Amino acid sequence: MNSDIDLSLYLVTDSSMVPKTKTLAQIVDEAIQGGVTIVQLREKTAETGDFIALAKSLQQVTKKHSVPLLINDRIDVALAIDADGVHIGQDDMPLAQARKILGNDKIIGVSVKTASEACDAIKGGADYLGIGTCFDTATKRVSGNDLRGPAGIREIWQTALDAEGVNKPVRAVTIGGVNEYNAVHVLQYTRAQKIDRPLDGIAVVSAIMAASDPKHAAETLKRQIGFALSQSWIAKHSLLGKEIIERSEESVRHAVANVFTRVRMPSNVRPLIQHITNSVVTNDSANACLALGGSPIMASSDIEQKDLAPAISSLLINIGTIDQAHVAGMRMAMREAQFYNTPIVLDPVAVGASGFRKGLVQELLRDFAVHVIKGNAGEIACLLGSDEVQMRGVDSVGVGFTDPVAAVSSLSRRHRCVVVMTGVVDYVSDGIATYAVHNGSRLQACITGSGCMVGTSVATFVQAVCHDDPLVGALAGVVAINLAAEHATSRSDVKGPGTFRQAFFDE
């Protein structure tokens, strides 16, 4: 039984990526110095003698650092050098036979792509699972059926944890296209929901093997893993325990007020809120951001996202007027935001209006971590796959959900983010706690872009508490915009939608 092995940063080697100026052993050495915790030597085409020689050279490095060395597929090579264990696939030697040959003291990992394979491996005594494929990779082009994304990985992981007849802890990593940009997203999204347990780590190939500086690449990955497992809001809430997180009405009101104060304090540097939004509301969103205490930047070109990303406090993605150029900019901005763990607010405007919009949002939610999804009832229904609420263009049609709390909390748990559903009553949920916000004005529905400005407000406030309690930040954003609307409506100079718009920004 090998339940104490550190799987957090698992390196799978690929000799084809080794530059002429280095050896594989040198790259592995640098990677371990950077934080790699376990190494798998994978050589699909090497002759036995060459494989053993290469394995011995790596073993000198791994033993020096007290890091386990596993051999991919080749039990004979593992026996020849007395490796720490092996990793086998579904087409390799059966697990039971491998265990009989290697004994109980050696590590045996098994690649799985389905829930049934995972259960069989766990019941058969595997020390850990390698669940794949998460994303398309540089080392293997996978078919559409194999490309499962974090949601599919989570489903297999959850099934493995639920497997009956298991008398040892279940351990697992995921592999396939995981890198420094998406590691946090993958580890957060794949957390098993029933017992709120994350994977034990990530397995990478090109993220380290193809890096110009393997040590730095490993250090960056290790930092992202640490953030995902201990510093992100999801991890913090898990470590604290949901039952001791204060959610009384008084405590939440106090927390929302503190967010207002932090963002609007005159001595503070205004948070830089990046908008990739629709052309209808660009000017209104920028003015709303300024009025709320933020500093807007409307930057949608993909070529400038890498330069902008370090300074961005929050990123708002609004798909209202979408085209391929905007999509490229959105994807690049979200990629860079993930690297810096910058909060992303996604406004899936009219997501149910076309297959293009729906497919785009599904891809964005698969590939990128969002802190907040903000939509009306029709948009939320579309994301849930529900026909209870219909859409006509950008508008939600009908009376809404019979159980709005269940709707928003379900979507929140599915995507591991806060969900804001706007309407006559707004609902905000983190999947555990859900709040109804009753303030606002009927005139908000009479002006173009009022819903989009809610997204701006949420992005402006959520950045202040994004790694501690984004639920409170999202609530602050919703309450701020609704209070402004209430105050504007009560003014004597407001006669209708036209005068309301001007007063709205003033308030």
Side-chain angles (χ1 to χ4, degrees):
M1 183 171 177
N2 296 282
S3 60
D4 59 343
I5 52 175
D6 186 349
L7 297 169
S8 58
L9 183 50
Y10 186 134
L11 175 62
V12 181
T13 68
D14 186 339
S15 293
S16 69
M17 297 181 181
V18 177
K20 294 180 179 179
T21 56
K22 288 185 177 181
T23 66
L24 180 60
Q26 287 175 316
I27 290 178
V28 169
D29 195 352
E30 293 174 25
I32 293 174
Q33 291 179 54
V36 163
T37 59
I38 187 167
V39 177
Q40 178 193 141
L41 174 60
R42 184 169 66 182
E43 292 292 322
K44 292 294 186 181
T45 59
E47 297 292 336
T48 300
D50 295 334
F51 201 156
I52 290 174
L54 188 59
K56 286 182 176 179
S57 69
L58 259 61
Q59 191 176 47
Q60 291 179 355
V61 173
T62 57
K63 280 191 172 182
K64 178 178 68 175
H65 295 287
S66 299
V67 166
L69 173 65
L70 310 184
I71 304 299
N72 178 261
D73 296 353
R74 298 287 298 272
I75 307 257
D76 57 334
V77 174
L79 288 170
I81 71 162
D82 191 26
D84 296 291
V86 297
H87 185 91
I88 55 178
Q90 295 298 312
D91 298 325
D92 300 324
M93 181 181 292
L95 173 58
Q97 188 175 352
R99 179 62 75 191
K100 185 176 181 180
I101 294 171
L102 292 172
N104 293 327
D105 293 333
K106 296 297 184 181
I107 301 167
I108 302 181
V110 179
S111 293
V112 299
K113 291 184 178 181
T114 68
S116 61
E117 290 176 354
C119 289
D120 288 344
I122 289 297
K123 292 176 182 179
D127 292 298
Y128 72 89
L129 306 176
I131 309 175
T133 302
C134 192
F135 298 116
D136 211 347
T137 75
T139 58
K140 182 180 180 182
R141 309 302 295 180
V142 295
S143 69
N145 291 333
D146 289 336
L147 191 63
R148 59 184 72 258
I153 301 299
R154 181 174 65 194
E155 182 179 343
I156 296 172
W157 175 224
Q158 182 69 66
T159 302
L161 290 171
D162 291 342
E164 297 180 357
V166 178
N167 57 5
K168 61 191 290 186
V170 179
R171 312 286 304 284
V173 298
T174 188
I175 188 168
V178 185
N179 55 44
E180 67 272 27
Y181 290 95
N182 60 27
V184 174
H185 169 46
V186 168
L187 286 171
Q188 290 189 157
Y189 203 107
T190 55
R191 292 183 79 103
Q193 292 184 339
K194 292 181 181 178
I195 60 173
D196 195 22
R197 181 176 158 189
L199 292 168
D200 294 278
I202 56 173
V204 301
V205 186
S206 59
I208 291 177
M209 294 301 304
S212 58
D213 186 341
K215 180 181 179 183
H216 177 70
E219 288 172 340
T220 302
L221 282 162
K222 193 71 172 178
R223 184 175 65 249
Q224 297 288 59
I225 293 166
F227 180 88
L229 297 181
S230 64
Q231 298 169 16
S232 69
W233 74 273
I234 291 175
K236 287 177 180 177
H237 285 207
S238 177
L239 292 169
L240 282 172
K242 302 178 185 69
E243 69 280 356
I244 64 171
I245 298 173
E246 181 60 60
R247 289 301 192 202
S248 68
E249 183 176 335
E250 181 181 355
S251 69
V252 171
R253 285 179 182 271
H254 181 70
V256 168
N258 283 342
V259 174
F260 285 156
T261 301
R262 288 176 62 177
V263 173
R264 297 180 60 79
M265 190 175 294
S267 60
N268 283 355
V269 176
R270 284 174 173 259
L272 186 59
I273 312 301
Q274 182 180 359
H275 292 65
I276 301 183
T277 190
N278 71 75
S279 58
V280 176
V281 302
T282 300
N283 188 61
D284 285 345
S285 294
N287 284 326
C289 185
L290 282 169
L292 291 163
S295 177
I297 179 169
M298 296 1 220
S300 60
S301 174
D302 61 330
I303 61 176
E304 62 178 343
Q305 300 306 325
K306 194 172 187 66
D307 293 333
L308 291 173
I312 300 300
S313 302
S314 191
L315 171 65
L316 172 63
I317 299 293
N318 176 308
I319 70 164
T321 50
I322 196 71
D323 56 34
Q324 291 294 352
H326 269 80
V327 171
M330 288 175 179
R331 293 189 66 87
M332 185 58 72
M334 295 175 83
R335 178 178 186 266
E336 294 297 329
Q338 282 193 151
F339 181 78
Y340 292 99
N341 294 306
T342 300
I344 300 171
V345 177
L346 176 63
D347 191 345
V349 178
V351 61
S354 69
F356 172 66
R357 287 173 183 266
K358 186 174 182 179
L360 171 63
V361 171
Q362 288 174 340
E363 288 180 4
L364 294 180
L365 289 172
R366 179 195 68 193
D367 295 346
F368 304 105
V370 300
H371 271 67
V372 183
I373 296 172
K374 180 252 123 192
N376 61 31
E379 291 155 353
I380 298 302
C382 181
L383 295 181
L384 283 170
S386 168
D387 59 3
E388 185 176 357
V389 185
Q390 303 298 315
M391 293 199 69
R392 184 173 62 226
V394 300
D395 296 321
S396 178
V397 179
V399 296
F401 289 100
T402 54
D403 189 347
V405 172
V408 293
S409 60
S410 175
L411 189 64
S412 174
R413 289 191 297 271
R414 179 184 299 181
H415 293 293
R416 306 312 298 258
C417 68
V418 172
V419 172
V420 174
M421 184 170 72
T422 57
V424 176
V425 177
D426 302 319
Y427 293 89
V428 185
S429 178
D430 65 357
I432 304 299
T434 303
Y435 294 89
V437 181
H438 293 271
N439 52 344
S441 166
R442 62 177 180 80
L443 290 176
Q444 285 171 275
C446 299
I447 63 171
T448 301
S450 60
C452 296
M453 283 185 274
V454 174
T456 291
S457 186
V458 169
T460 301
F461 287 100
V462 77
Q463 53 80 32
V465 287
C466 59
H467 302 317
D468 296 307
D469 200 348
L471 174 69
V472 169
L475 273 169
V478 173
V479 170
I481 207 82
N482 286 349
L483 285 177
E486 284 185 0
H487 294 165
T489 303
S490 67
R491 285 171 42 161
S492 61
D493 58 333
V494 171
K495 307 300 182 183
T499 49
F500 170 74
R501 180 184 290 275
Q502 283 185 309
F504 189 34
F505 288 115
D506 289 342
E507 296 296 334

